[in-house]
């Protein structure tokens, strides 16, 4: 694993409702290329907000997010260009219901990477085969199960050939028996060396796949380290308290 | 002798047959009905006048709907909260001057919708005809399209805005996270879904618009209502010409309702 830093976050703050709610209160973190970072923490700890600030779905109130050397919080930066390189997977899948699976996957590559339809479809079909859903290419999202939808959402993001993948609680809206199939795709992706930032409640996944685990609470990073350090030898009382409740 | 001429001669024949009854004022119900139809539809090829009126009504309606849809969609987008409160910084896709202009346009859109919905269409038609184009020679059809289109846009704007707001926020986020610009996300992802949920209300608006074009008879545009009225002024039949016009409106509206119903069912196939 190389050690160059792909995302660098400095003193990030995010306030909602004119400062009444402080979701992030000064977060500093670096994500290395090829690293799998899992962010855990109780509800309302700011972990999703942190993730959504990385591709500016939330505009930070203070602080900077630097991606591949460019400060994307600078208004002059074309954020769309940066988002092309940062895939995102949402809790509620957010597939486009009025398009077939194939069209869901080829829309952005055709519009943004100027790919020809045939090329975009070839890439999409290859990815669909990898996640075992090639036969659903012409189905609509409404005809798929939750697990299938989320696998499609992952490969839809991969169609843009991103440098980083952001996962916002990708298994939280799934029936328990469908969690595994989604986590398997994510594990495979991690093994291929994809840089991943994952917000999740799946502690098993964190322990198995993460290079680094970040524990957040009340808008701060409380503790970070390898899965062993965090899960087996947590130093902070709040981390210990949280892990006691979820494990 | 061809069939058309022969059939006309049959109508003429019947007309001749009831002449004595008309003189003596002894027509029964069916003879009287035939007399009305003959005078108001057949005589002097008057049915052609209804059809010409119908043509004008359809022409004005079609282009008004087009103007209303286009302008209404733009107004709706300008009225969205994220456009209204655009900061012009922090997202980096609009320079500050652009943001100021967009905010100005957004304010104007709200003002426009209030004025257009708050005053009678007839008044708007009269102002546009006699006020704005009072000294200019202008085709009445164009004046009608402008007046009805501008009016309909205000209603369409609110329908489209409702449709857009019914689309989940996650759809926008998914589009933007792929790198699509706000405008492209709107065009490819939000508007198609908004159109689906707005379709029933939109159908209502189109129906209203088609019937409201009858107001244009006030500025001497010979559309379907005026055509009927004109025939009444020639035949002095108080009911028949209006009923013929009314039936033609009904046929148009029912056809439109049927078509939109079909479209709705087709769109529902991809429902979630």
């Amino acid at each position: 694993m190389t050690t160059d830093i792909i995302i660098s976050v400095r003193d990030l703050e995010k306030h909602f409702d004119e400062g009444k709610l402080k979701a992030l209160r000064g977060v500093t973190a670096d994500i290395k290329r090829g690293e799998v970072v899992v962010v855990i923490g109780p509800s309302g700890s700011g972990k999703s907000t942190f993730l959504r600030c990385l591709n500016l779905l939330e505009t930070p109130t203070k602080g900077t997010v630097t991606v591949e050397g460019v400060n994307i919080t600078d208004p002059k930066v074309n954020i769309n260009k940066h988002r092309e390189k940062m895939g995102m997977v949402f809790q509620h899948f957010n597939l486009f219901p009025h398009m077939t699976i194939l069209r869901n996957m080829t829309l952005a590559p055709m519009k943004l990477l100027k790919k020809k339809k045939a090329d975009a479809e070839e890439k999409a079909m290859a990815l669909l085969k990898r996640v075992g859903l090639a036969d659903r290419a012409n189905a609509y999202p409404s005809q798929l199960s939750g697990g299938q939808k989320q696998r499609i959402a992952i490969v839809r993001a991969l169609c843009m050939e991103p440098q980083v993948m952001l996962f916002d609680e990708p298994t939280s809206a799934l029936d328990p028996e469908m969690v595994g199939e989604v986590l398997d795709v994510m594990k495979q992706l991690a093994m291929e060396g994809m840089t991943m930032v994952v917000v999740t409640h799946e502690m098993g996944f964190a322990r198995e796949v993460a290079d680094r685990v970040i524990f957040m609470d009340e808008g701060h990073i409380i503790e970070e380290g390898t899965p062993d350090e965090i899960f087996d030898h947590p130093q902070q009382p709040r981390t210990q308290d949280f892990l006691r409740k979820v494990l | 002798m061809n069939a058309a001429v022969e059939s006309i001669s049959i109508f003429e024949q019947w007309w001749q047959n009831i002449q004595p009854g008309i003189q003596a004022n002894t027509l029964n119900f069916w003879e009287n009905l035939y007399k009305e139809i003959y005078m108001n539809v057949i005589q002097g090829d008057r049915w052609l006048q209804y059809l010409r009126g119908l043509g004008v009504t359809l022409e004005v309606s079609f282009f008004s709907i087009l103007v209303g849809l286009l302008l209404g969609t733009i107004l709706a987008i300008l009225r969205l909260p994220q456009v209204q409160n655009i900061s012009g910084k922090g997202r980096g896709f609009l320079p500050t001057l652009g943001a100021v202009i967009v905010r100005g346009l957004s304010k104007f859109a709200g003002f426009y919708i209030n004025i257009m919905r708050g005053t009678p269409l007839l008044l708007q038609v009269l102002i546009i005809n006699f006020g704005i184009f009072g000294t200019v020679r202008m085709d009445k059809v164009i004046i009608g399209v402008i007046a009805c289109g501008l009016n309909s846009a205000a209603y369409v704007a609110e329908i489209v805005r409702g449709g857009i707001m019914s689309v989940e926020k996650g759809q926008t986020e998914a589009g933007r996270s792929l790198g699509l610009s706000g405008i492209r996300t709107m065009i490819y992802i939000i508007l198609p879904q908004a159109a689906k949920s707005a379709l029933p209300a939109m159908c209502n608006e189109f129906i209203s618009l088609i019937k409201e074009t009858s107001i244009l008879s006030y500025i001497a545009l010979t559309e379907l209502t005026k055509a009927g009225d004109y025939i009444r002024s020639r035949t002095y039949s108080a009911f028949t010409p209006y009923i013929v016009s009314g039936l033609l409106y009904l046929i148009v509206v029912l056809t439109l309702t049927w078509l939109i119903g079909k479209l709705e069912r087709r769109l529902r196939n991809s429902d979630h």
Side-chain angles (χ1 to χ4, degrees):
Chain A
M1 189 170 65
T2 53
T3 53
D4 64 321
I5 288 163
I6 188 163
I7 304 177
S8 177
V9 180
R10 290 289 172 273
D11 305 317
L12 196 65
E13 290 188 33
K14 175 66 188 179
H15 304 169
F16 291 103
D17 291 338
E18 286 145 13
K20 270 180 230 143
L21 180 73
K22 293 191 166 102
L24 296 177
R25 303 160 183 254
V27 171
T28 293
D30 287 327
I31 315 287
K32 297 190 202 81
R33 200 177 289 276
E35 193 178 29
V36 177
V37 176
V38 172
V39 185
I40 60 171
S43 305
S45 60
K47 53 192 193 304
S48 276
T49 307
F50 167 70
L51 192 79
R52 289 160 59 84
C53 281
L54 296 184
N55 66 354
L56 248 58
L57 276 189
E58 300 291 354
T59 310
T61 311
K62 274 185 206 150
T64 60
V65 177
T66 307
V67 179
E68 295 186 304
V70 181
N71 174 12
I72 60 169
T73 51
D74 182 343
K76 289 187 197 73
V77 167
N78 181 356
I79 186 61
N80 296 329
K81 274 281 154 221
H82 280 271
R83 285 184 181 142
E84 287 178 19
K85 291 181 276 178
M86 305 171 83
M88 187 157 193
V89 176
F90 300 87
Q91 182 177 356
H92 295 290
F93 330 124
N94 297 351
L95 296 180
F96 308 134
H98 59 303
M99 298 178 186
T100 62
I101 299 310
L102 203 57
R103 180 90 179 118
N104 260 278
M105 295 173 69
T106 55
L107 175 73
M110 282 168 63
K111 299 292 172 203
L112 301 173
L113 306 181
K114 307 289 173 210
K115 280 197 179 184
K116 288 203 182 67
K117 190 166 186 247
D119 296 342
E121 288 186 350
E122 194 186 317
K123 166 99 184 159
M125 285 311 294
L127 282 163
L128 280 176
K129 262 194 206 96
R130 259 184 49 181
V131 295
L133 290 169
D135 57 324
R136 310 315 307 271
N138 293 311
Y140 283 90
S142 59
Q143 297 163 311
L144 303 182
S145 73
Q148 290 175 327
K149 280 184 198 167
Q150 196 60 301
R151 282 186 281 158
I152 298 294
I154 293 171
V155 286
R156 176 176 71 180
L158 290 178
C159 276
M160 288 298 287
E161 294 165 25
Q163 305 280 312
V164 189
M165 285 287 285
L166 309 175
F167 293 85
D168 190 4
E169 303 201 22
T171 56
S172 298
L174 294 177
D175 291 336
E177 75 267 25
M178 290 171 183
V179 170
E181 62 192 69
V182 172
L183 291 182
D184 285 342
V185 173
M186 291 169 64
K187 278 177 205 165
Q188 199 190 344
L189 206 54
M191 282 193 306
E192 286 164 15
M194 175 63 76
T195 310
M196 294 164 62
V197 185
V198 185
V199 170
T200 188
H201 294 291
E202 292 294 327
M203 297 304 155
F205 175 83
R207 194 188 270 275
E208 188 182 341
V209 181
D211 296 308
R212 186 152 53 103
V213 177
I214 292 177
F215 173 71
M216 284 184 73
D217 195 15
E218 294 180 347
H220 295 284
I221 292 181
I222 304 298
E223 193 170 353
E224 58 181 306
T226 64
D228 287 349
E229 287 168 352
I230 297 293
F231 290 115
D232 297 333
H233 311 287
Q235 303 297 309
Q236 299 293 327
R238 265 192 281 181
T239 317
Q240 291 162 1
D241 188 45
F242 173 73
L243 289 173
R244 216 179 3 258
K245 282 177 193 153
V246 298
L247 288 181
Chain B
M1 197 184 272
N2 65 41
V5 172
E6 190 160 321
S7 67
I8 286 168
S9 67
I10 282 170
F11 290 136
E12 290 295 339
Q13 192 64 53
W14 290 347
W15 179 241
Q16 297 305 327
N17 289 349
I18 61 170
Q19 285 307 311
I22 293 172
Q23 302 294 327
N25 206 6
T26 56
L27 293 182
N28 67 24
F29 174 81
W30 297 108
E31 287 167 339
N32 204 30
L33 184 66
Y34 182 71
K35 176 190 154 207
E36 283 294 313
I37 291 173
Y38 182 84
M39 279 169 50
N40 291 295
V41 181
I42 298 166
Q43 199 170 42
D45 280 342
R46 292 206 162 106
W47 55 276
L48 268 173
Q49 295 182 40
Y50 294 105
L51 288 188
R52 279 194 211 105
L54 177 65
V56 172
T57 291
L58 288 177
E59 190 183 357
V60 172
S61 301
F62 178 79
F63 288 106
S64 299
I65 285 172
L66 230 56
V67 170
L69 263 182
L70 205 70
L71 184 63
T73 306
I74 294 169
L75 289 170
I77 291 171
L78 284 171
R79 293 291 294 156
L80 291 176
Q82 60 266 41
V83 176
Q84 259 175 318
N85 306 319
I86 203 159
S87 62
K89 46 184 180 173
R91 284 295 169 90
F93 62 89
L94 261 183
T96 309
L97 179 66
V100 170
I101 294 170
V102 168
R103 259 144 75 180
L105 284 174
S106 177
K107 285 241 162 58
F108 173 76
F111 174 75
Y112 178 91
I113 291 168
N114 280 334
I115 297 294
M116 282 310 199
R117 291 199 307 175
T119 56
L121 173 61
L122 177 55
L123 215 56
Q124 295 164 15
V125 168
L126 293 174
I127 288 171
I128 289 171
N129 185 58
F130 296 112
I132 295 171
F133 295 115
T135 55
V136 195
R137 274 192 66 86
M138 176 75 97
D139 193 337
K140 297 283 185 198
V141 170
I142 295 175
I143 292 177
V145 168
I146 292 172
C148 290
L150 291 185
N151 178 272
S152 180
Y155 292 91
V156 169
E158 290 298 282
I159 295 168
V160 173
R161 192 169 68 99
I164 290 173
M165 284 168 68
S166 76
V167 180
E168 279 175 67
K169 205 169 152 249
Q171 292 289 312
T172 306
E173 291 183 349
R176 299 305 305 271
S177 79
L178 286 166
L180 294 168
S181 65
I183 292 168
R184 277 181 156 160
T185 303
M186 186 54 79
I187 293 172
Y188 297 116
I189 296 164
I190 307 305
L191 284 181
Q193 297 183 59
K196 188 161 105 176
S197 64
L199 205 56
M202 203 65 93
C203 177
N204 249 341
E205 170 56 22
F206 293 163
I207 288 172
S208 298
L209 178 62
I210 290 169
K211 292 180 299 175
E212 278 173 357
T213 57
S214 64
I215 272 179
L216 298 172
S217 57
Y218 260 84
I219 59 166
L221 176 67
T222 315
E223 39 64 70
L224 188 47
T225 303
K226 187 74 184 173
D229 193 46
Y230 178 72
I231 289 165
R232 181 203 51 83
S233 74
R234 301 294 298 271
T235 63
Y236 303 109
S237 296
F239 281 111
T240 317
Y242 296 137
I243 287 171
V244 173
S245 291
L247 283 173
L248 289 173
Y249 278 112
L250 198 60
I251 290 169
V252 171
V253 168
L254 291 179
T255 309
L256 182 74
T257 310
W258 176 71
L259 282 174
I260 291 185
K262 255 181 91 147
L263 182 65
E264 237 175 277
R265 277 189 296 280
R266 248 184 58 185
L267 288 175
R268 210 177 297 143
N269 289 341
S270 67
D271 237 341
H272 32 163

